Amino acid sequence: MSFGDPNNPYGAPQGQQPPQGQPGYGHPQQPPQGQPGYGYPQQGQAGYGYPSAPPVQQPYGGGAPTTMPGTVGAARVMLWVIVGFQVIGTALFAFSAVAVDQAKDDPAFEGLADYPTGALWGIAVLALVWGVWAAVLAVKFASGGSGLRVTALVFGILTAILAVYPFTIFGIIHLVLGILIAVFVGNANGAAWFKRPRY
């Protein structure tokens, strides 16, 4: 039915026009100007009174990470823990080698005379080298690429193997740290961090 239909019960009576300023029944009103929230789009808004959507961003995980993931940061901290243990180990083995050398002259420590001090010095040097390797890896975690990731994986695996043999009793902490470093660097977060583009 239309407004002009005489049988339209919602329309204005015949012969009468709706007063100016007030639309008749069934006539669409003009949207109020400057009053948001009436269901009419305002300038800079989408329809139905809702503001326009912000620009679409990439979903989480869709792009390269811009900050170091937590697991990769944890692996870096573990490398620094290993550095600390290696410094302590180097000092202990060097002190032991010096003590054994001096004890050989004392008759009370004749049992130590046959102990090879060269082995103690060798272990001290190995501990020092291992600590330096861990420190270099930890420093380069922020800027390193795929090559550093592979090197850190090798370091973690070798640390775990050496912790099992020959340093079984003293190597439990190194065993746990080595496994965790290899896992954290080798997982998807580690891959995304070390393969991220560098500009």
Side-chain angles (χ1 to χ4, degrees), residues 109-157:
F109 297 100
E110 290 178 2
L112 292 175
D114 296 331
Y115 198 85
T117 56
L120 291 173
W121 283 113
I123 294 172
V125 170
L126 177 63
L128 179 63
V129 168
W130 213 259
V132 170
W133 188 13
V136 169
L137 288 174
V139 167
K140 292 187 173 284
F141 254 47
S143 60
S146 295
L148 183 77
R149 178 177 178 243
V150 171
T151 307
L153 275 167
V154 170
F155 177 85
I157 293 168

Side-chain angles (χ1 to χ4, degrees), residues 12-139:
Q14 272 192 337
Q16 293 182 355
Q17 292 293 330
Q20 294 295 349
Q22 292 183 343
Y25 296 109
H27 278 270
Q29 293 182 341
Q30 293 295 325
Q33 297 298 321
Q35 297 180 358
Y38 282 101
Y40 296 100
Q42 302 295 315
Q43 189 173 14
Q45 292 184 336
Y48 304 108
Y50 295 106
S52 58
V56 178
Q57 297 178 353
Q58 285 189 342
Y60 178 75
T66 55
T67 58
M68 188 181 297
T71 53
V72 178
R76 186 183 197 183
V77 170
M78 291 175 197
L79 285 168
W80 285 117
V81 171
I82 288 177
V83 169
F85 281 129
Q86 296 307 110
V87 169
I88 294 170
T90 301
L92 287 176
F93 282 113
F95 177 77
S96 299
V98 171
V100 168
D101 272 342
Q102 291 181 355
K104 287 180 179 179
D105 299 333
D106 192 342
F109 297 100
E110 290 178 2
L112 292 175
D114 296 331
Y115 198 85
T117 56
L120 291 173
W121 283 113
I123 294 172
V125 170
L126 177 63
L128 179 63
V129 168
W130 213 259
V132 170
W133 188 13
V136 169
L137 288 174
V139 167

Side-chain angles (χ1 to χ4, degrees), residues 136-188:
V136 169
L137 288 174
V139 167
K140 292 187 173 284
F141 254 47
S143 60
S146 295
L148 183 77
R149 178 177 178 243
V150 171
T151 307
L153 275 167
V154 170
F155 177 85
I157 293 168
L158 287 178
T159 300
I161 291 171
L162 288 174
V164 173
Y165 183 81
F167 304 109
T168 308
I169 297 173
F170 301 106
I172 300 300
I173 296 174
H174 281 76
L175 173 65
V176 173
L177 293 176
I179 291 172
L180 289 176
I181 289 169
V183 168
F184 289 161
V185 170
N187 67 12

